[in-house]
Amino acid sequence: MAARKATAKTAAKPNVSSEELMAYYRDMLLIRRFEEKAGQLYGMGLIGGFCHLYIGQEAVVVGLEAAAKDDDKRITTYRDHGHMLACGMDPKGVMAELTGREGGYSRGKGGSMHMFSKEKHFYGGHGIVGANVPLGAGLAFSDKYRGNDNVTFTYFGDGAANQGQVYETFNMAALWDLPVIFVIENNQYAMGTAQARSTSTPDLYKRGEAFGIPGEIVDGMDVLAVKAAGETAVEHCRAGKGPYILEVKTYRYRGHSMSDPAKYRTREEVQKMRSERDAIEHVRTMLLDGDHASEEDLKAIDKEIKGVVNEAAEFSKESPEPALDELWTDIYAAEIPQENA
Amino acid sequence: MATEILMPALSPTMEEGTLAKWLVKEGDTIESGMIIAEIETDKATMEFEAVDEGTMGKILVEEGTEGVKVNTAIAVLLEEGEDASAAETAAAEAPAPATDEAPKATEEAPARAPASAAAPAPASADAEPDWPEGTETKTQTVREALNAAIAEELRRDPEVVLMGEEVAEYEGAYKITQGLLDEFGAKRIIDTPITEHGFAGVGVGAAFGGLKPIVEFMTFNFAMQAIDQIVNSAAKTLYMSGGQMGCPIVFRGPNGAAARVGAQHSQDYAAWYAQVPGLRVVMPYSAADYKGLMKTAIRDPNPVIFLENEILYGRSFEVPVLDDFTIPFGKAKIAREGSDVTIVSFGIGMTYAMEAAEKLAEDGVEAEVVDLRTLRPIDYDTVIASVMKTNRCVTVEEGWPVGSIGNHLSATIMTRAFDYLDAPVINCTGKDVPMPYAANLEKHALTSVPEVLEAVRQVTYR
């Protein structure tokens, strides 16, 4: 199948219920408020090292989670807080990992870029750009081997799309019909390098053509467009037709990491995206204009989210640092469980 | 309630900065995400965005102020309906700089030291034989033993799969996987494209997904393309996930010099992988060890680097005839007992060690030869116990000398058995050069029996 360009950018009459639309609004707002709080805690020195915020890109993970089922797998690179919140991981555990505390998902041993939840089928949080792409195909390999209909959402950025192992993976995923959706979150900057300065051809959704992998370009600022594209991709994978590529055009409002002065783009460019294309505002407008919700309903959600995020922040401050003995645990898995021995 | 705006840390190392410019003034309406100030760090001038909404109540630190400590209150933000007096109160109450110390871990357990200090700890070597006395044995090559081990584990556990270049239809570049495709089918014995980085990653991902892949590298030289997946993804994930995500995988294939294949196909990676916490590293010598350790490797819930040797593939040894023969990791073998000098080696290095020991015996020197078998974990106790007995030690390996396994053993012996040493430990290693192609140069680049003999003569002062 040839790569095709989606014609309809925005679903004019969204085929979703009011409840669903409210849920997307809530989930996106949770990510934004969580990230703002994380930025604040970083500024206070409570979060250390690298911290890559997802602000601006919320519609991508929320839209794709809306197309996923519980047993599907997810894996991403280092800008991973949004993915974790979207798949239902506890904001308290995520925030406490950011502050390096015992209550964090990795008990403080992973940090912002390295978090996992086996329960939610979230396979990380990987710090090496592009390395998660073959890992995602491997997860899909395990599901295909078992003969279930799970798919693996493998997220990476426009920067990672230039890594060689991505193409090694495309080849094997297509060759073996692996049920993997390659989600290229194109936020248009690989750290400080604009796409045009790093990438010979702009259309990343066509990068699978040489391997026979269908691709689609998606408006990543429109949660319903993302959901619709996700559903197409999921259907393709579950039907055993092999991998699918979604190039989701999005935009990050903040710097690459907290220490990024962002001199590679103008303030006006960021402000324009924020004021004209913001994904959360988009859903908010839909909710109000379509009479799906009142201002009061949305205020109540805002308030609830504020509470959730504040609670996460409090937890992340109060949770103790890991005991020093933690230094020496989890290097090797314990002995083989008896039932497998 | 009035909210203090604190001087932010804008990089992992920032402790203070210059408040270069205020972009808002008192009384301005502040929206979340609005850029309110410019702050200079040692690296750059950064824009500082507001997190909360409200009205700028009072600016506490004037623009142009240098050396503002992180977490100092720099302004007060008022909520809807508050007046400036709230700002005054908040500012007065402001502890400057605000500290937000993390609650300390309650348990101030001393960090476990990797090696205890010089006090010579009594070393107790586990001398239990690998198989019960009287067990029937048969002569097998390393190749046959490896093949049998892999086939037995594929039969035993349906979640074991084998992937790599030419492993299925071609039956292995070195014929280790002969017959496996026939017996187990293409679903479990998988030919990959020539794409080491990619298929190592796919294997690791499949292991995260609960399978137990055996990934063959046609040789470990090609695994350098994949070493990021081996080290960063396979070895570290259990730790980084706080114990949630294991990676039960075996990376196997021939390692080290074969014969006349030149610099890019002749490297010994033993010391490289042995350095990595989270990996198990196995480098056997005899066919029985290949078999017993491969079966243990496939069952181990951790990533295992299994370093084989092309020259050894065709060598024959006695292998016990047992239904399920395994050898635990971390248990060295006394391949030859002796009292005059300890020779420690592993893998193909054992050929030099054993031949040298035979020659030494002719001259009345009884060498004790210790075969490490696994390099992570290393059986230090067996080595130390032997050195305490012989008081002299020579190590033998084909790898490069700098940062070699021998170097590490020398340091450990010095730490744990200094008072027992009658001579400095000598490391016999490959030479510090890329492997040459010419036959004479290649031979010269590896270690040799005469070198081992010379080292023993030196440590025994003969």
Side-chain angles (χ1 to χ4, degrees):
Chain A
M1 198 200 293
R4 65 192 165 82
K5 202 157 184 155
T7 44
K9 269 199 163 180
T10 307
K13 274 195 168 180
N15 185 23
V16 286
S17 67
S18 303
E19 289 72 30
E20 285 169 321
L21 210 50
M22 290 277 269
Y24 306 154
Y25 177 76
R26 186 196 169 279
D27 291 352
M28 286 160 66
L29 198 66
L30 171 63
I31 295 171
R32 179 153 311 173
R33 295 287 171 258
F34 181 95
E35 293 291 64
E36 285 167 356
K37 184 57 84 175
Q40 195 180 33
L41 297 185
Y42 190 94
M44 294 163 73
L46 282 161
I47 297 173
F50 295 129
C51 186
H52 309 91
L53 302 182
Y54 199 66
I55 295 175
Q57 302 183 208
E58 297 91 346
V60 182
V61 287
V62 171
L64 287 171
E65 281 298 334
K69 67 179 172 66
D70 277 352
D71 285 341
D72 289 338
K73 296 181 167 65
R74 306 117 177 104
I75 188 166
T76 187
T77 53
Y78 51 79
R79 193 179 306 283
D80 56 354
H81 310 162
H83 303 71
M84 294 188 277
L85 298 173
C87 75
M89 286 168 68
D90 182 354
K92 292 208 288 285
V94 178
M95 197 68 96
E97 189 60 36
L98 296 183
T99 54
R101 305 299 171 86
E102 190 182 82
Y105 265 96
S106 301
R107 296 206 298 281
K109 287 152 75 167
S112 165
M113 300 184 286
H114 316 111
M115 258 185 271
F116 306 81
S117 168
K118 215 162 186 178
E119 186 204 346
K120 298 289 180 191
H121 309 289
F122 179 73
Y123 288 83
H126 293 268
I128 307 295
V129 173
N132 66 309
V133 178
L135 297 174
L139 289 165
F141 181 97
S142 69
D143 280 321
K144 187 179 166 75
Y145 186 85
R146 297 208 165 93
N148 59 40
D149 72 345
N150 298 338
V151 306
T152 299
F153 290 86
T154 300
Y155 295 87
F156 53 102
D158 46 304
N162 289 325
Q163 283 279 16
Q165 58 184 321
V166 170
Y167 300 94
E168 299 190 21
T169 305
F170 281 3
N171 181 43
M172 283 180 283
L175 186 68
W176 299 333
D177 287 333
L178 300 181
V180 53
I181 301 170
F182 297 110
V183 183
I184 305 173
E185 293 192 62
N186 185 353
N187 67 20
Q188 302 163 48
Y189 291 91
M191 194 171 157
T193 304
Q195 206 200 335
R197 297 203 297 120
S198 68
T199 304
S200 60
T201 52
D203 291 330
L204 301 176
Y205 69 98
K206 291 181 180 167
R207 290 278 180 102
E209 276 181 2
F211 307 94
I213 306 176
E216 195 174 323
I217 194 161
V218 188
D219 179 1
M221 306 310 272
D222 177 352
V223 71
L224 297 181
V226 176
K227 175 177 182 268
E231 282 164 351
T232 309
V234 162
E235 196 185 319
H236 178 91
C237 283
R238 290 211 214 287
K241 293 179 186 169
Y244 203 93
I245 294 171
L246 296 176
E247 180 192 354
V248 189
K249 288 270 201 184
T250 181
Y251 199 81
R252 86 171 133 69
Y253 297 171
R254 296 296 189 94
H256 163 73
S257 67
M258 290 302 297
S259 47
D260 175 6
K263 294 299 177 206
Y264 46 83
R265 60 185 185 186
T266 62
R267 197 181 288 172
E268 288 69 36
E269 179 186 307
V270 181
Q271 217 39 57
K272 194 170 156 61
M273 284 301 284
R274 279 190 123 148
S275 55
E276 293 175 14
R277 295 301 330 277
D278 187 73
I280 296 176
E281 277 306 314
H282 176 236
V283 174
R284 192 184 157 80
T285 307
M286 256 193 293
L287 281 167
L288 294 174
D289 290 358
D291 281 334
H292 301 288
S294 65
E295 287 277 4
E296 274 62 47
D297 295 337
L298 299 186
K299 267 212 171 119
I301 294 179
D302 293 359
K303 196 170 169 216
E304 181 222 331
I305 294 297
K306 207 168 184 180
V308 170
V309 169
N310 283 338
E311 198 189 351
E314 280 315 304
F315 178 78
S316 79
K317 292 180 196 170
E318 282 161 12
S319 177
E321 290 188 307
L324 288 184
D325 261 1
E326 274 291 342
L327 183 66
W328 298 100
T329 61
D330 305 321
I331 299 162
Y332 293 99
E335 293 315 305
I336 312 155
Q338 273 311 303
E339 65 268 26
N340 298 328
Chain B
M1 203 187 82
T3 314
E4 284 171 16
I5 298 173
L6 305 179
M7 180 71 169
L10 296 168
S11 81
T13 49
M14 176 176 166
E15 287 173 2
E16 58 176 46
T18 300
L19 207 168
K21 197 174 176 188
W22 279 109
L23 300 172
V24 293
K25 55 185 191 305
E26 288 175 7
D28 282 359
T29 303
I30 308 294
E31 281 168 20
S32 168
M34 195 170 169
I35 296 151
I36 56 170
E38 285 179 1
I39 288 168
E40 276 173 26
T41 71
D42 53 347
K43 286 201 301 188
T45 302
M46 310 271 294
E47 291 170 345
F48 177 39
E49 291 179 2
V51 177
D52 300 306
E53 297 172 351
T55 305
M56 180 56 74
K58 190 167 178 55
I59 285 172
L60 303 173
V61 174
E62 292 306 318
E63 64 180 30
T65 310
E66 291 176 14
V68 183
K69 297 260 183 265
V70 163
N71 277 338
T72 308
I74 54 173
V76 178
L77 194 66
L78 302 174
E79 274 188 15
E80 243 175 287
E82 274 180 331
D83 64 27
S85 65
E88 300 293 340
T89 321
E93 284 169 0
T99 49
D100 219 327
E101 278 293 299
K104 291 294 173 213
T106 44
E107 216 176 319
E108 287 290 332
R112 212 182 302 161
S116 55
S124 66
D126 175 2
E128 181 100 353
D130 289 334
W131 56 83
E133 219 169 302
T135 304
E136 186 197 339
T137 62
K138 67 176 173 189
T139 308
Q140 261 187 328
T141 61
V142 164
R143 176 178 286 110
E144 290 162 345
L146 259 181
N147 179 276
I150 295 168
E152 285 174 22
E153 293 308 299
L154 280 160
R155 269 174 225 130
R156 183 177 161 276
D157 185 346
E159 303 225 296
V160 176
V161 296
L162 183 129
M163 60 169 74
E165 294 154 9
E166 309 290 4
V167 296
E169 296 201 2
Y170 195 90
E171 302 194 287
Y174 297 97
K175 295 289 170 276
I176 303 304
T177 56
Q178 202 145 28
L180 298 182
L181 176 64
D182 272 354
E183 182 176 351
F184 301 102
K187 188 183 173 193
R188 302 183 66 195
I189 312 297
I190 300 137
D191 277 327
T192 64
I194 302 173
T195 179
E196 284 83 8
H197 197 181
F199 71 68
V202 169
V204 172
F208 288 166
L211 299 185
K212 292 154 192 161
I214 304 168
V215 172
E216 173 174 315
F217 291 114
M218 194 180 286
T219 85
F220 261 93
N221 299 285
F222 314 147
M224 260 202 289
Q225 300 243 17
I227 201 162
D228 172 65
Q229 290 292 358
I230 296 171
V231 176
N232 272 322
S233 302
K236 296 180 185 171
T237 297
L238 184 75
Y239 196 79
M240 295 192 302
S241 67
Q244 290 183 73
M245 303 262 312
C247 186
I249 193 168
V250 178
F251 295 104
R252 54 155 291 269
N255 165 68
R260 310 284 311 277
V261 290
Q264 292 180 335
H265 283 66
S266 301
Q267 192 171 332
D268 174 4
Y269 293 90
W272 279 34
Y273 290 113
Q275 226 235 338
V276 182
L279 293 179
R280 308 265 200 214
V281 182
V282 187
M283 189 153 158
Y285 165 59
S286 74
D289 288 350
Y290 267 95
K291 181 164 189 191
L293 290 165
M294 176 54 81
K295 285 167 68 77
T296 301
I298 296 168
R299 293 179 200 186
D300 195 274
N302 299 288
V304 181
I305 303 291
F306 200 94
L307 301 169
E308 303 165 10
N309 187 281
E310 189 191 335
I311 292 166
L312 292 177
Y313 280 154
R315 299 263 172 100
S316 294
F317 297 84
E318 289 305 299
V319 179
V321 181
L322 289 168
D323 285 344
D324 192 21
F325 170 59
T326 58
I327 294 173
F329 289 162
K331 190 180 164 206
K333 183 165 77 177
I334 308 284
R336 187 186 189 284
E337 282 189 43
S339 53
D340 297 329
V341 61
T342 299
I343 304 177
V344 185
S345 190
F346 50 93
I348 193 162
M350 283 294 294
T351 58
Y352 308 104
M354 292 302 281
E355 204 180 320
E358 299 305 322
K359 287 212 160 69
L360 288 166
E362 290 167 17
D363 296 339
V365 176
E366 292 302 330
E368 180 146 291
V369 180
V370 177
D371 181 355
L372 291 175
R373 304 198 287 193
T374 62
L375 303 175
R376 188 170 263 276
I378 286 186
D379 182 356
Y380 297 107
D381 280 358
T382 294
V383 174
I384 299 293
S386 179
V387 172
M388 284 177 173
K389 182 172 77 173
T390 65
N391 312 114
R392 297 150 209 280
C393 184
V394 169
T395 68
V396 184
E397 68 198 288
E398 281 194 345
W400 284 321
V402 180
S404 62
I405 298 289
N407 288 172
H408 173 63
L409 286 175
S410 304
T412 307
I413 293 166
M414 185 177 72
T415 308
R416 285 185 60 185
F418 186 74
D419 290 343
Y420 290 81
L421 283 175
D422 287 345
V425 177
I426 295 181
N427 303 142
C428 295
T429 66
K431 306 300 179 293
D432 203 11
V433 298
M435 184 63 71
Y437 167 70
N440 63 329
L441 293 181
E442 181 183 63
K443 201 168 170 205
H444 200 55
L446 295 165
T447 189
S448 63
V449 174
E451 278 182 13
V452 178
L453 293 172
E454 176 54 30
V456 170
R457 269 191 281 278
Q458 281 189 40
V459 300
T460 55
Y461 303 108
R462 282 169 186 258

